[in-house]
Amino acid sequence: MRKRMVVLVFLVVIVVGGVLASRRRPAAPAPSPPPTAQPPVEAVVVEVTPVRRGTIARTLDLTGSIISAQDVNVTPKIPGKIAAILVTEGSRVARGQAIARLEAAELLAQVAQAEQSVRQARAGQELARARLAATVSGARSQERALAENAVRQAEANLRNAEAEAARMQQ
């Protein structure tokens, strides 16, 4: 502990002595840089005009991406290949206006298939009615009920086929 005290006092004396010595000695002036040769200044010709009022045309050439304020997804009501586009890109269209025409070959085939389904359903209905007429005379009640159910089912099939055909034609 005593050694620490002696070292501490010694350090304090050195610091105080350094501070006092720096106050007594005047600071040496900073050496001035040696004179250098300045390059000669060139005269610049300036045109002066009086102030006047006018407009300033200012244009900028920029590149970037444009994002529309509104975005619309166009989807057909039925699937198919597009045969023709009826409007140009960027043009205005009214609600319900046709903008494209689909190929008709596949659609016409679907209509023909739906009409064939109607014909088959009518034939099935006629067959079921004929069987019902044959079972009415002398048949058991169970056989008659089965024949009546077959007629009702055939009529339902006919209604579905007619509705599908009408939808296809539209």
Side-chain angles (χ1 to χ4, degrees):
M1 179 85 168
R2 195 166 194 187
K3 281 185 177 183
R4 285 187 182 163
M5 199 61 151
V6 171
V7 172
L8 184 61
V9 170
F10 181 68
L11 288 175
V12 170
V13 169
I14 290 175
V15 171
V16 170
V19 170
L20 291 176
S22 68
R23 286 188 180 174
R24 287 187 190 160
R25 190 172 19 159
S32 63
T36 59
Q38 296 280 337
V41 177
E42 293 185 28
V44 178
V45 178
V46 177
E47 183 179 336
V48 179
T49 60
V51 177
R52 66 176 185 262
R53 195 174 282 252
T55 59
I56 298 175
R58 187 175 186 182
T59 62
L60 294 173
D61 292 328
L62 303 172
T63 59
S65 299
I66 297 174
I67 299 173
S68 65
Q70 294 179 345
D71 192 21
V72 177
N73 291 328
V74 178
T75 56
K77 291 181 180 179
I78 56 173
K81 293 181 183 179
I82 295 177
I85 297 178
L86 306 175
V87 295
T88 59
E89 185 176 342
S91 63
R92 291 187 178 267
V93 293
R95 181 182 297 258
Q97 178 183 347
I99 59 172
R101 188 175 65 237
L102 299 178
E103 287 183 354
E106 186 176 332
L107 298 174
L108 292 174
Q110 290 175 357
V111 169
Q113 184 179 6
E115 290 171 348
Q116 179 63 30
S117 296
V118 169
R119 286 191 291 273
Q120 287 176 347
R122 281 194 181 124
Q125 179 189 29
E126 290 173 11
L127 180 64
R129 284 187 177 165
R131 286 183 183 163
L132 176 63
T135 57
V136 169
S137 60
R140 292 183 298 173
S141 62
Q142 292 173 339
E143 290 175 351
R144 196 172 326 130
L146 286 174
E148 289 171 353
N149 283 340
V151 169
R152 281 194 293 274
Q153 182 65 43
E155 289 172 348
N157 289 344
L158 176 61
R159 283 192 302 273
N160 286 340
E162 288 173 342
E164 179 70 14
R167 187 181 71 81
M168 285 294 169
Q169 286 184 359
Q170 287 179 354

